[in-house]
């Protein structure tokens, strides 16, 4: 960040040389007072933003450390390598377990033979 050459106090204490056809002293003083108020306001804003930036950088560092710790302590999720085939196989096994006796006892073929009398 660039260094500032003036402070609000420097602006306030600045004395101008008076000349025969110089500027209106009251007008210059009024304008410098306005500059001093703005300068003070900017300095406060910069200080606040520096503190806020330091706080947020610190928080990011803390959260990054927490994330690294959680990644180390948590085992890989069981579903990370699951494919559709695996899901269908599990579903099929579940259906066999739940409905197994009904599926095995049911004959899905239709008898088209006619009885003769």
């Amino acid at each position: 960040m660039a260094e500032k050459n003036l402070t609000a106090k420097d602006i306030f204490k600045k004395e101008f040389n008076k000349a025969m056809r110089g500027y209106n002293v009251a007008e210059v003083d009024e304008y410098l007072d306005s500059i001093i108020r703005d300068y003070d306001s900017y300095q406060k804003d910069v200080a606040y933003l520096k503190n806020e930036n330091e706080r947020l950088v610190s928080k990011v560092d803390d959260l990054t450390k927490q994330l690294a710790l959680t990644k180390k302590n948590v085992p890989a999720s069981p579903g990370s390598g699951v494919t559709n085939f695996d899901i269908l196989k599990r579903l099929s096994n579940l259906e066999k377990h739940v409905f197994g006796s009904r599926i095995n006892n049911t004959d899905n073929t239709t008898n088209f033979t006619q009885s003769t009398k």
Side-chain angles (χ1 to χ4, degrees):
M1 191 175 257
E3 284 294 318
K4 299 190 182 40
N5 296 325
L6 298 174
T7 64
K9 190 175 184 179
D10 293 336
I11 296 170
F12 180 73
K13 287 186 174 186
K14 175 66 179 166
E15 292 287 330
F16 294 96
N17 297 329
K18 295 183 181 167
M20 183 81 154
R21 293 187 164 168
Y23 294 103
N24 182 344
V25 176
E27 187 178 345
V28 171
D29 286 342
E30 184 180 322
Y31 188 71
L32 288 175
D33 288 342
S34 173
I35 292 172
I36 290 170
R37 284 190 298 274
D38 286 349
Y39 201 81
D40 279 337
S41 173
Y42 292 135
Q43 284 181 324
K44 288 176 185 175
D45 288 346
V46 167
Y48 169 78
L49 292 172
K50 281 182 180 179
N51 289 335
E52 183 69 7
N53 188 41
E54 289 174 7
R55 184 185 70 80
L56 292 173
V57 166
S58 174
K59 188 170 185 174
V60 166
D61 290 342
D62 291 343
L63 291 173
T64 304
K65 289 175 187 175
Q66 287 178 3
L67 181 62
L69 289 174
T70 17
K71 283 185 177 180
K72 287 180 183 177
N73 294 335
V74 175
S77 60
S80 60
V82 176
T83 63
N84 286 343
F85 179 76
D86 294 330
I87 294 170
L88 290 173
K89 190 173 179 181
R90 288 180 183 176
L91 183 60
S92 175
N93 288 337
L94 181 61
E95 287 175 341
K96 285 179 186 174
H97 178 73
V98 173
F99 302 110
S101 59
R102 291 185 217 162
I103 291 174
N104 292 337
N105 293 337
T106 307
D107 187 9
N108 290 334
T109 59
T110 308
N111 189 358
F112 289 108
T113 57
Q114 293 182 349
S115 59
T116 54
K117 289 189 182 182

